[in-house]
Amino acid sequence: MPPMPRVAALAAVALALSGCGIASGDERITLNVLAASSLTEAFEELGTAYGAAARNVTVRFEFAGSQDLAMDVEEREPADVLATADQASMDTVADRVTGRRAFAYNSMTIAVAPGNPRHVQGLASLADRRLRVVLGGPIVPVGRYAAQVLAKAGVVVRPRSEEADARTVLTRVRTGAADAGIVYVTDMRSAGIAATSVPIPAQQNVTATYFAAALRASAHEEAAKDFVAWLRSSTATAILRKYGFPTP
Amino acid sequence: MLVLPALIGLAFLVLPLLGLLVRAPWSTLGTRLARPEILDALRLSLLSATLATLLCLLLGVPLAWVLARIDFPGRRLVRALVTVPLVLPPVVGGVALLLALGRNGLVGHWLDRWFGLTLPFTTAGVVLAEAFVALPFLVISVEGAVRAADLRYEDAAATLGASRWTTFRRVTLPLIAPGVGAGAVLCWARALGEFGATITFAGNLPGRTQTMPLAVYLALENDPQAAIVLSLVLLAVSVVVLAGLRGRWVS
């Protein structure tokens, strides 16, 4: 059975019935959202809130490093929405997405063991070769941002490991395998008391910008665009702020 | 009735490999293979898989001998324990290794405190992770060989006054050599392909812990062509291993 005509009709119905940008047809739609791993907790709550606002839409998430997600879009995943932690990852799939917009910001901090037993004072402390530092890999957003932050501070770090996403960097610190790692400010919330944060001053810090876009290959392109637009609504921004993400 | 699903099954196995061969950047293969980061990963892979195999031989041959020759209570349980890494998802193996040998692990904690020795983020950690998943292959192969070896040769050696160690070294070992060889090759191939336990336990750093499979995974994200080249190398190694084992394990 060719699915396209039915989906197109459904999208038309959804469009006709929606006044406020949220689809409300009779048939249930499941939106597959590929999201950066640093968005995990915030997006799970956003998904619940969106399910309540748009009753015919269920949002399903897959979280991973943004560069991984961009590759998913290129190679295999039949997804509807992509949310990345940086512009570069979104740029790599620019011709496959539509309606992209920035919806949240983030910045970097240093994660250390609870109580900061190694007395990390700031970025300069990370140059100490006796300190086990773990960073994101050079192609992962969290790694690229870490490299920018270190370059601004003029600090050269030799990491013990280059991890594939932001949460793994934090996990290395939480489990004690690493003494310090550069992660997103918002990640520290998920660590609770399992890690302490050593702030990076604003003049050395960078602003990470999160982008969301609908995928052109999506079978529910209109519903996907609605979801992306909704990320800028007051409900969504309130949730994002609650998890520590400044919003535009 | 059976031919069609059989053909589909064959296509299912062969098609992905074909994809690899078709999409390979053959014209630039040489220059890509010679790039320092690929050579680094290759060198590290060969080194760590070989060291892991040596470690497996050192520990696995005695273990296989004990399982095959000595009747002790709980032998079946021990045999089951030995095969656990075979069915365990390698990532779980990596987590388990972290909990045991990580810096805050059961044993790792003391290694760090007494000797200042930490295994995660080191090449030694890579070797351990690979040995953990590869050891069962060696033990199973060698145990089969020991069982198949005629016990009467050992008995004869013993009646002629040879000690247990001499008997093992001079009689049993030559008898089971083909089994040990096959087990070692299989073990080496498994170690070479190890990914999950390695990235979880040892981390990922070019030149130190980034083996070929890790390089494939990470290259896929920014340089798919390089990932294909690395995959081809691993595929070639697998084919060579299979060819070498022809008639031993496969048939």
Side-chain angles (χ1 to χ4, degrees), chain A residues 8-21:
Chain A
L10 179 70
V13 169
L15 259 185
L17 290 178
S18 67
C20 57

Side-chain angles (χ1 to χ4, degrees), chain A residues 133-218:
Chain A
V133 181
V134 167
L135 301 175
I139 56 162
V140 191
V142 70
R144 268 204 297 263
Y145 289 134
Q148 287 172 21
V149 161
L150 289 167
K152 268 191 178 182
V155 176
V156 177
V157 171
R158 303 182 74 163
R160 300 295 176 107
S161 185
E162 295 173 349
E163 304 298 345
D165 65 64
R167 286 300 161 89
T168 309
V169 176
L170 184 59
T171 303
R172 293 292 188 198
V173 175
R174 291 176 65 164
T175 56
D179 296 316
I182 297 182
V183 299
Y184 295 114
V185 167
T186 53
D187 278 337
M188 297 308 295
R189 185 180 296 266
S190 74
I193 57 162
T196 296
S197 170
V198 178
I200 298 172
Q203 70 272 19
Q204 293 178 335
N205 220 321
V206 292
T207 301
T209 308
Y210 287 73
F211 284 88
L215 298 179
R216 288 186 192 281
S218 163

Side-chain angles (χ1 to χ4, degrees), chain B residues 4-22:
Chain B
L4 186 63
L7 285 177
I8 295 175
L10 183 66
F12 174 63
L13 290 177
V14 172
L15 210 59
L17 302 181
L18 215 58
L20 206 56
L21 291 174
V22 168

Side-chain angles (χ1 to χ4, degrees), chain B residues 102-123:
Chain B
R103 206 162 158 213
N104 292 336
L106 283 177
V107 179
H109 170 69
W110 298 109
L111 289 178
D112 187 30
R113 176 169 298 184
W114 290 344
F115 309 109
L117 195 70
T118 45
L119 294 164
F121 308 146
T122 64
T123 306

Side-chain angles (χ1 to χ4, degrees), chain A residues 67-68 71 75-76 118 130 132-134 137 139-140 158-164 168 172 174-179, chain B residues 23 98 103-104 112 116 118 120-121 198-206 208-210 217-222 224:
Chain A
Q67 79 294 343
D68 257 338
M71 190 185 71
E75 291 287 339
R76 47 172 196 254
R118 302 294 299 267
R130 287 164 302 174
R132 283 159 218 272
V133 181
V134 167
I139 56 162
V140 191
R158 303 182 74 163
R160 300 295 176 107
S161 185
E162 295 173 349
E163 304 298 345
T168 309
R172 293 292 188 198
R174 291 176 65 164
T175 56
D179 296 316
Chain B
R23 299 245 325 240
L98 266 183
R103 206 162 158 213
N104 292 336
D112 187 30
T118 45
F121 308 146
T198 308
I199 199 167
T200 312
F201 180 61
N204 169 60
L205 192 69
R208 194 151 191 211
T209 54
Q210 191 184 79
Y217 175 69
L218 290 147
L220 203 51
E221 288 154 3
N222 69 335

Side-chain angles (χ1 to χ4, degrees), chain B residues 2 73 81 83 87 102 126 149 160 212 224:
Chain B
L2 293 175
L81 285 176
T83 50
V87 291
V126 175
L160 293 172
M212 292 277 281

